[in-house]
């Protein structure tokens, strides 16, 4: 896959604070599975192939970037795919699920209650009875292989930044990034849901699991890592008019589209932390654009619908 382009951010707010900010556009890596989800899938698909699987099965909500990316990447790499979708089947498919099915993904729905038990042995057995042999990828692609892929997100950049910022759901992306940090570099994660503080323990345990599986690499085992937990805008997949307005103004000024679940909260957090003086003079900040734009159409449609 090609390299993700780096795009400097200009503007009075940034130059006035005498910092430098750049955006790593992983969203541009591929039209259908760009963003962090490809990094999380890469070694999962490799493991599936090595173990002789023909089908991958994974889990996600109806707007899930991971579902869309898995459907496309599986098709591209010659796998059948099955998506276990949280919630009841709707009469019309939203854009995410429509796309996933168009890529050949078989969609299977779990009630919210049942979905909560998706990773339990009993459910796994039921799914095997239904679908036969498959390679299972957890929700969000967040396993050790997913973390492994994310250790490569910054590999082309090396020492070119001081602070990296990334939006967090499961935290696997940040776990992989943290493992790859050089001495003196730090990472700030922005959880996109309420009460994100617990995620730090979660990230540390994902790093530990990775190090157990892949010991001996030149990994940063004590990375400088913090979370900015006040930018959830009401919770996961919640938005406020202020967030929509921010994303629109940002795209207009910089020509960079943001998704409404992850990256708009990340970039909002960056500007707020900048105003709050969280960065020192000459600090070089790298913002990771993790993609997710496929979800916007469905979110805007839902937004319109809720006004009726
Ligand atoms: C899934 C996703 C994230 C969160 O990644 P985690 O590894 O689950 O923390 C961030 N940004 C976008 C656009 C995503 O789709």
């Amino acid at each position: 896959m090609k390299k993700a382009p780096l795009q400097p951010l200009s503007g009075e707010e940034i130059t006035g604070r005498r910092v430098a900010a750049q955006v790593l556009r992983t969203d541009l890596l591929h039209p259908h599975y760009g963003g962090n989800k490809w990094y999380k899938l890469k070694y999962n698909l490799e493991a599936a192939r090595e173990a002789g699987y023909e089908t991958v099965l994974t889990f996600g909500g109806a707007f899930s970037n991971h579902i869309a990316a898995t459907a496309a990447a599986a098709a591209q790499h010659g796998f059948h795919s099955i998506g276990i979708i949280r919630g009841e089947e709707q009469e019309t498919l939203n854009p995410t699920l429509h796309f996933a099915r168009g890529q050949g993904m078989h969609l299977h729905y779990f009630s919210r209650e049942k979905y909560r038990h998706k990773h339990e042995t009993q459910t796994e057995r039921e799914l095997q009875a239904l679908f036969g042999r498959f390679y299972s990828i957890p929700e969000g692609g967040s396993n050790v292989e997913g973390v492994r892929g994310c250790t490569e997100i910054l590999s082309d950049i090396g020492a070119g930044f001081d602070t990296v910022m990334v939006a967090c759901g499961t935290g696997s992306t940040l776990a992989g990034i943290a493992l790859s940090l050089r001495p003196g570099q730090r990472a700030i994660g922005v959880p996109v849901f309420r009460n994100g503080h617990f995620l730090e323990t979660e990230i540390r345990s994902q790093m530990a699991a990775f190090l157990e599986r892949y010991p001996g690499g030149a990994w940063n085992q004590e990375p400088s890592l913090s979370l900015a937990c006040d930018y959830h805008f009401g919770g996961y997949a919640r938005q406020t008019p202020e967030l929509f307005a921010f994303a629109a103004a940002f795209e207009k000024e910089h020509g960079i589209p943001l998704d409404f679940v992850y990256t708009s909260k990340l970039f909002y957090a960056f500007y707020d932390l900048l105003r709050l003086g969280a960065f020192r003079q000459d600090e070089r900040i790298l913002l990771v654009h993790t993609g997710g734009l496929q979800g916007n159409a469905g979110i805007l449609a839902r937004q319109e619908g809720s006004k009726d």
Side-chain angles (χ1 to χ4, degrees), residues 26 34-37 40 63-66 139-142 146-147 150 166-175 190 192-193 199 203 206 236 259 261-263 266 288-294:
T26 73
N36 62 340
K37 295 304 186 285
K40 297 213 232 173
F63 297 93
S64 165
N65 296 326
H66 168 68
E139 186 177 44
S142 304
V147 170
C150 293
V166 66
C168 298
T170 65
S172 303
T173 304
L174 183 52
V190 178
V192 299
F193 47 81
L199 202 60
I203 290 167
Q206 293 188 56
Y236 183 74
D259 82 293
V261 178
Y262 294 100
T263 51
L266 168 72
V288 183
H289 193 315
T290 41
L293 298 163
Q294 68 82 28

CSV table of all heavy atoms in Angstrom, one decimal, residues 26 34-37 40 63-66 139-142 146-147 150 166-175 190 192-193 199 203 206 236 259 261-263 266 288-294, ligand 1:
chain,number,residue,atom,x,y,z
A,26,THR,N,-4.2,9.0,6.8
A,26,THR,CA,-4.4,7.6,6.5
A,26,THR,C,-5.7,7.4,5.8
A,26,THR,O,-6.0,6.3,5.2
A,26,THR,CB,-4.2,6.7,7.7
A,26,THR,OG1,-5.4,6.8,8.6
A,26,THR,CG2,-3.0,7.0,8.5
A,34,GLY,N,-9.3,2.7,3.7
A,34,GLY,CA,-8.3,3.6,4.3
A,34,GLY,C,-8.5,3.7,5.7
A,34,GLY,O,-9.4,3.2,6.3
A,35,GLY,N,-7.7,4.6,6.4
A,35,GLY,CA,-7.8,4.8,7.8
A,35,GLY,C,-7.2,3.7,8.6
A,35,GLY,O,-6.6,2.8,8.1
A,36,ASN,N,-7.4,3.8,9.9
A,36,ASN,CA,-6.8,2.8,10.8
A,36,ASN,C,-7.3,1.4,10.6
A,36,ASN,O,-6.7,0.5,11.0
A,36,ASN,CB,-6.9,3.3,12.3
A,36,ASN,CG,-8.4,3.3,12.7
A,36,ASN,OD1,-9.3,3.4,11.9
A,36,ASN,ND2,-8.6,3.3,14.0
A,37,LYS,N,-8.5,1.3,10.1
A,37,LYS,CA,-9.1,-0.1,10.0
A,37,LYS,C,-8.3,-1.0,9.1
A,37,LYS,O,-8.3,-2.2,9.3
A,37,LYS,CB,-10.6,0.0,9.6
A,37,LYS,CG,-11.5,0.7,10.6
A,37,LYS,CD,-11.4,0.1,12.0
A,37,LYS,CE,-12.4,0.7,13.0
A,37,LYS,NZ,-12.0,2.0,13.5
A,40,LYS,N,-5.5,-2.5,11.1
A,40,LYS,CA,-6.0,-3.5,12.1
A,40,LYS,C,-6.4,-4.8,11.3
A,40,LYS,O,-6.3,-5.9,11.9
A,40,LYS,CB,-7.2,-3.0,12.8
A,40,LYS,CG,-6.9,-1.8,13.7
A,40,LYS,CD,-7.8,-1.8,14.9
A,40,LYS,CE,-8.5,-0.6,15.1
A,40,LYS,NZ,-9.4,-0.7,16.2
A,63,PHE,N,-23.4,1.4,11.7
A,63,PHE,CA,-22.7,2.5,11.0
A,63,PHE,C,-21.2,2.2,11.0
A,63,PHE,O,-20.4,3.0,10.7
A,63,PHE,CB,-22.9,3.8,11.7
A,63,PHE,CG,-24.4,4.2,11.6
A,63,PHE,CD1,-25.2,3.9,12.6
A,63,PHE,CD2,-24.8,4.9,10.5
A,63,PHE,CE1,-26.6,4.3,12.6
A,63,PHE,CE2,-26.2,5.3,10.4
A,63,PHE,CZ,-27.0,5.0,11.5
A,64,SER,N,-20.8,1.0,11.4
A,64,SER,CA,-19.4,0.7,11.7
A,64,SER,C,-18.4,0.8,10.6
A,64,SER,O,-18.6,0.2,9.5
A,64,SER,CB,-19.4,-0.8,12.3
A,64,SER,OG,-18.1,-1.3,12.3
A,65,ASN,N,-17.4,1.6,10.8
A,65,ASN,CA,-16.3,1.7,9.8
A,65,ASN,C,-15.6,0.3,9.7
A,65,ASN,O,-15.1,0.0,8.6
A,65,ASN,CB,-15.3,2.7,10.3
A,65,ASN,CG,-15.9,4.1,10.4
A,65,ASN,OD1,-16.8,4.5,9.6
A,65,ASN,ND2,-15.4,4.9,11.3
A,66,HIS,N,-15.5,-0.4,10.8
A,66,HIS,CA,-14.8,-1.7,10.7
A,66,HIS,C,-15.6,-2.7,9.9
A,66,HIS,O,-15.0,-3.5,9.1
A,66,HIS,CB,-14.7,-2.2,12.2
A,66,HIS,CG,-14.2,-3.6,12.3
A,66,HIS,ND1,-13.0,-4.0,11.9
A,66,HIS,CD2,-14.9,-4.7,12.7
A,66,HIS,CE1,-12.9,-5.4,12.0
A,66,HIS,NE2,-14.0,-5.8,12.5
A,139,GLU,N,-14.8,-7.2,17.4
A,139,GLU,CA,-15.4,-5.9,17.0
A,139,GLU,C,-14.3,-4.9,17.0
A,139,GLU,O,-13.4,-4.9,17.8
A,139,GLU,CB,-16.4,-5.5,18.2
A,139,GLU,CG,-17.1,-4.2,17.9
A,139,GLU,CD,-18.1,-4.0,19.1
A,139,GLU,OE1,-17.7,-4.1,20.2
A,139,GLU,OE2,-19.2,-3.6,18.8
A,140,GLY,N,-14.3,-4.0,15.9
A,140,GLY,CA,-13.3,-3.0,15.8
A,140,GLY,C,-11.9,-3.5,15.4
A,140,GLY,O,-10.9,-2.8,15.2
A,141,GLY,N,-11.8,-4.8,15.1
A,141,GLY,CA,-10.5,-5.4,14.7
A,141,GLY,C,-9.4,-5.3,15.9
A,141,GLY,O,-8.2,-5.3,15.6
A,142,SER,N,-9.9,-5.3,17.1
A,142,SER,CA,-9.1,-5.0,18.2
A,142,SER,C,-8.5,-6.2,18.9
A,142,SER,O,-8.9,-6.5,20.1
A,142,SER,CB,-9.9,-4.2,19.2
A,142,SER,OG,-10.4,-3.1,18.5
A,146,GLY,N,-4.4,-6.8,15.3
A,146,GLY,CA,-4.9,-5.4,15.1
A,146,GLY,C,-3.9,-4.4,15.6
A,146,GLY,O,-3.5,-3.5,14.9
A,147,VAL,N,-3.4,-4.6,16.8
A,147,VAL,CA,-2.4,-3.7,17.4
A,147,VAL,C,-1.1,-3.8,16.6
A,147,VAL,O,-0.5,-2.8,16.3
A,147,VAL,CB,-2.2,-4.2,18.9
A,147,VAL,CG1,-1.0,-3.4,19.5
A,147,VAL,CG2,-3.4,-3.9,19.8
A,150,CYS,N,-1.2,-1.6,13.8
A,150,CYS,CA,-1.1,-0.2,14.2
A,150,CYS,C,0.2,0.3,14.6
A,150,CYS,O,0.5,1.5,14.6
A,150,CYS,CB,-2.2,0.1,15.2
A,150,CYS,SG,-3.9,-0.1,14.6
A,166,VAL,N,-4.5,10.9,18.6
A,166,VAL,CA,-5.4,10.0,17.8
A,166,VAL,C,-6.7,9.8,18.6
A,166,VAL,O,-6.7,9.9,19.8
A,166,VAL,CB,-4.7,8.7,17.6
A,166,VAL,CG1,-4.4,7.9,18.8
A,166,VAL,CG2,-5.4,7.8,16.6
A,167,ALA,N,-7.8,9.7,17.8
A,167,ALA,CA,-9.1,9.4,18.4
A,167,ALA,C,-9.1,7.9,18.9
A,167,ALA,O,-8.6,7.1,18.2
A,167,ALA,CB,-10.2,9.7,17.4
A,168,CYS,N,-9.8,7.7,20.0
A,168,CYS,CA,-9.9,6.3,20.5
A,168,CYS,C,-11.3,5.7,20.7
A,168,CYS,O,-12.1,6.4,21.3
A,168,CYS,CB,-9.3,6.3,22.0
A,168,CYS,SG,-7.6,6.8,22.0
A,169,GLY,N,-11.4,4.5,20.2
A,169,GLY,CA,-12.6,3.7,20.5
A,169,GLY,C,-12.2,2.6,21.4
A,169,GLY,O,-12.3,2.7,22.6
A,170,THR,N,-11.7,1.5,20.9
A,170,THR,CA,-11.2,0.4,21.7
A,170,THR,C,-9.8,0.7,22.2
A,170,THR,O,-9.4,0.1,23.2
A,170,THR,CB,-11.1,-0.9,20.9
A,170,THR,OG1,-10.1,-0.6,19.8
A,170,THR,CG2,-12.4,-1.2,20.2
A,171,GLY,N,-9.1,1.7,21.6
A,171,GLY,CA,-7.8,2.0,22.1
A,171,GLY,C,-6.7,1.2,21.4
A,171,GLY,O,-5.5,1.4,21.6
A,172,SER,N,-7.0,0.2,20.5
A,172,SER,CA,-6.0,-0.6,19.9
A,172,SER,C,-5.1,0.2,19.0
A,172,SER,O,-3.9,0.0,18.9
A,172,SER,CB,-6.6,-1.6,19.0
A,172,SER,OG,-7.5,-2.4,19.7
A,173,THR,N,-5.6,1.2,18.3
A,173,THR,CA,-4.8,2.1,17.5
A,173,THR,C,-3.8,2.8,18.3
A,173,THR,O,-2.6,2.8,17.9
A,173,THR,CB,-5.7,3.1,16.7
A,173,THR,OG1,-6.7,2.3,16.0
A,173,THR,CG2,-4.9,3.9,15.7
A,174,LEU,N,-4.2,3.4,19.4
A,174,LEU,CA,-3.3,4.1,20.3
A,174,LEU,C,-2.3,3.1,20.9
A,174,LEU,O,-1.1,3.4,21.0
A,174,LEU,CB,-4.0,4.8,21.4
A,174,LEU,CG,-3.2,5.7,22.3
A,174,LEU,CD1,-2.3,6.6,21.5
A,174,LEU,CD2,-4.1,6.5,23.2
A,175,ALA,N,-2.7,1.9,21.2
A,175,ALA,CA,-1.8,0.9,21.8
A,175,ALA,C,-0.6,0.6,20.8
A,175,ALA,O,0.5,0.6,21.1
A,175,ALA,CB,-2.5,-0.4,22.1
A,190,VAL,N,-7.8,10.6,22.4
A,190,VAL,CA,-9.1,11.3,22.7
A,190,VAL,C,-10.2,10.3,22.6
A,190,VAL,O,-10.6,9.9,21.5
A,190,VAL,CB,-9.3,12.5,21.6
A,190,VAL,CG1,-10.6,13.2,21.9
A,190,VAL,CG2,-8.1,13.5,21.7
A,192,VAL,N,-13.8,8.8,22.4
A,192,VAL,CA,-15.0,9.4,21.8
A,192,VAL,C,-16.2,9.1,22.5
A,192,VAL,O,-17.3,9.2,22.0
A,192,VAL,CB,-15.1,9.1,20.3
A,192,VAL,CG1,-13.8,9.6,19.5
A,192,VAL,CG2,-15.2,7.6,20.1
A,193,PHE,N,-16.1,8.5,23.7
A,193,PHE,CA,-17.3,8.2,24.5
A,193,PHE,C,-17.1,8.7,25.9
A,193,PHE,O,-15.9,9.1,26.3
A,193,PHE,CB,-17.5,6.7,24.5
A,193,PHE,CG,-16.2,5.9,24.8
A,193,PHE,CD1,-15.7,5.8,26.1
A,193,PHE,CD2,-15.4,5.4,23.7
A,193,PHE,CE1,-14.5,5.1,26.3
A,193,PHE,CE2,-14.2,4.8,24.0
A,193,PHE,CZ,-13.8,4.7,25.3
A,199,LEU,N,-9.9,3.6,29.8
A,199,LEU,CA,-9.3,3.2,28.6
A,199,LEU,C,-7.8,3.0,28.7
A,199,LEU,O,-7.1,2.2,28.1
A,199,LEU,CB,-9.6,4.1,27.4
A,199,LEU,CG,-9.5,3.6,26.0
A,199,LEU,CD1,-10.3,2.4,25.8
A,199,LEU,CD2,-9.8,4.6,25.0
A,203,ILE,N,-5.7,0.1,27.3
A,203,ILE,CA,-4.6,0.2,26.3
A,203,ILE,C,-3.3,-0.5,26.8
A,203,ILE,O,-2.7,-1.2,26.1
A,203,ILE,CB,-4.3,1.7,26.0
A,203,ILE,CG1,-5.5,2.3,25.3
A,203,ILE,CG2,-3.0,1.9,25.3
A,203,ILE,CD1,-5.6,3.8,25.2
A,206,GLN,N,-3.7,-4.1,26.3
A,206,GLN,CA,-3.5,-4.5,24.9
A,206,GLN,C,-2.0,-4.5,24.5
A,206,GLN,O,-1.5,-5.3,23.8
A,206,GLN,CB,-4.3,-3.6,24.0
A,206,GLN,CG,-5.8,-3.7,24.2
A,206,GLN,CD,-6.5,-2.9,23.1
A,206,GLN,OE1,-6.3,-3.1,21.9
A,206,GLN,NE2,-7.4,-2.0,23.5
A,236,TYR,N,-20.6,8.1,22.7
A,236,TYR,CA,-20.2,7.4,21.5
A,236,TYR,C,-21.3,7.7,20.4
A,236,TYR,O,-22.5,7.5,20.6
A,236,TYR,CB,-20.1,5.9,21.7
A,236,TYR,CG,-19.6,5.2,20.4
A,236,TYR,CD1,-18.3,5.4,20.0
A,236,TYR,CD2,-20.5,4.5,19.6
A,236,TYR,CE1,-17.9,4.8,18.8
A,236,TYR,CE2,-20.1,3.9,18.4
A,236,TYR,CZ,-18.8,4.1,18.0
A,236,TYR,OH,-18.4,3.5,16.9
A,259,ASP,N,-14.8,12.8,10.0
A,259,ASP,CA,-16.0,12.0,10.3
A,259,ASP,C,-16.6,12.5,11.6
A,259,ASP,O,-15.9,13.2,12.4
A,259,ASP,CB,-15.7,10.5,10.3
A,259,ASP,CG,-15.1,10.2,11.7
A,259,ASP,OD1,-14.0,10.6,12.0
A,259,ASP,OD2,-15.8,9.5,12.4
A,261,VAL,N,-17.9,10.7,14.1
A,261,VAL,CA,-17.8,9.9,15.3
A,261,VAL,C,-16.4,10.0,16.0
A,261,VAL,O,-16.3,10.0,17.2
A,261,VAL,CB,-18.1,8.4,14.9
A,261,VAL,CG1,-17.9,7.5,16.2
A,261,VAL,CG2,-19.5,8.3,14.4
A,262,TYR,N,-15.3,10.1,15.2
A,262,TYR,CA,-14.0,10.1,15.7
A,262,TYR,C,-13.2,11.3,15.4
A,262,TYR,O,-12.8,12.1,16.3
A,262,TYR,CB,-13.2,8.9,15.1
A,262,TYR,CG,-13.8,7.5,15.5
A,262,TYR,CD1,-14.6,6.8,14.7
A,262,TYR,CD2,-13.5,7.0,16.8
A,262,TYR,CE1,-15.1,5.6,15.1
A,262,TYR,CE2,-14.0,5.8,17.2
A,262,TYR,CZ,-14.8,5.1,16.3
A,262,TYR,OH,-15.3,3.8,16.7
A,263,THR,N,-12.9,11.6,14.1
A,263,THR,CA,-11.9,12.6,13.9
A,263,THR,C,-12.3,14.0,14.2
A,263,THR,O,-11.5,14.9,14.5
A,263,THR,CB,-11.4,12.5,12.4
A,263,THR,OG1,-12.5,12.5,11.5
A,263,THR,CG2,-10.6,11.2,12.2
A,266,LEU,N,-11.5,14.5,17.7
A,266,LEU,CA,-10.0,14.6,17.8
A,266,LEU,C,-9.5,16.0,17.5
A,266,LEU,O,-8.8,16.6,18.2
A,266,LEU,CB,-9.3,13.6,16.9
A,266,LEU,CG,-7.8,13.8,16.7
A,266,LEU,CD1,-7.1,13.4,18.0
A,266,LEU,CD2,-7.3,13.1,15.5
A,288,VAL,N,-3.5,12.2,13.7
A,288,VAL,CA,-3.7,11.0,12.8
A,288,VAL,C,-5.1,11.1,12.3
A,288,VAL,O,-6.1,11.0,13.1
A,288,VAL,CB,-3.4,9.7,13.5
A,288,VAL,CG1,-3.6,8.5,12.5
A,288,VAL,CG2,-2.0,9.7,14.1
A,289,HIS,N,-5.3,11.3,11.0
A,289,HIS,CA,-6.7,11.2,10.4
A,289,HIS,C,-6.9,9.7,10.2
A,289,HIS,O,-6.3,9.1,9.3
A,289,HIS,CB,-6.8,12.0,9.1
A,289,HIS,CG,-8.2,12.2,8.7
A,289,HIS,ND1,-9.1,11.1,8.7
A,289,HIS,CD2,-8.9,13.3,8.3
A,289,HIS,CE1,-10.3,11.6,8.2
A,289,HIS,NE2,-10.2,12.9,8.0
A,290,THR,N,-7.8,9.1,11.0
A,290,THR,CA,-8.0,7.7,10.9
A,290,THR,C,-9.1,7.3,10.0
A,290,THR,O,-9.5,6.1,10.0
A,290,THR,CB,-8.3,7.1,12.3
A,290,THR,OG1,-9.2,8.1,13.0
A,290,THR,CG2,-7.0,7.0,13.2
A,291,GLY,N,-9.7,8.2,9.2
A,291,GLY,CA,-10.7,7.9,8.2
A,291,GLY,C,-12.1,7.9,8.8
A,291,GLY,O,-12.4,8.8,9.5
A,292,GLY,N,-12.9,6.9,8.4
A,292,GLY,CA,-14.2,6.8,8.9
A,292,GLY,C,-15.3,7.6,8.2
A,292,GLY,O,-16.4,7.7,8.6
A,293,LEU,N,-14.9,8.2,7.1
A,293,LEU,CA,-15.8,9.1,6.4
A,293,LEU,C,-17.0,8.4,5.8
A,293,LEU,O,-18.1,9.0,5.6
A,293,LEU,CB,-15.0,9.9,5.3
A,293,LEU,CG,-13.9,10.7,5.8
A,293,LEU,CD1,-12.9,11.1,4.8
A,293,LEU,CD2,-14.5,12.0,6.5
A,294,GLN,N,-16.9,7.1,5.6
A,294,GLN,CA,-18.0,6.4,5.0
A,294,GLN,C,-19.3,6.5,5.9
A,294,GLN,O,-20.4,6.4,5.4
A,294,GLN,CB,-17.7,4.9,4.8
A,294,GLN,CG,-17.4,4.1,6.1
A,294,GLN,CD,-18.7,3.5,6.7
A,294,GLN,OE1,-19.7,3.3,6.1
A,294,GLN,NE2,-18.6,3.4,8.0
B,1,LIG,C1,-12.4,2.7,14.7
B,1,LIG,C2,-11.9,4.1,14.5
B,1,LIG,C3,-11.1,4.7,15.5
B,1,LIG,C4,-10.8,4.1,16.8
B,1,LIG,O1,-9.9,3.1,16.8
B,1,LIG,P1,-9.6,2.2,18.0
B,1,LIG,O2,-8.4,1.4,17.7
B,1,LIG,O3,-10.8,1.3,18.2
B,1,LIG,O4,-9.4,3.0,19.2
B,1,LIG,C5,-10.7,6.0,15.3
B,1,LIG,N1,-11.0,6.7,14.1
B,1,LIG,C6,-11.8,6.1,13.2
B,1,LIG,C7,-12.1,6.9,12.0
B,1,LIG,C8,-12.3,4.8,13.4
B,1,LIG,O5,-13.0,4.3,12.4
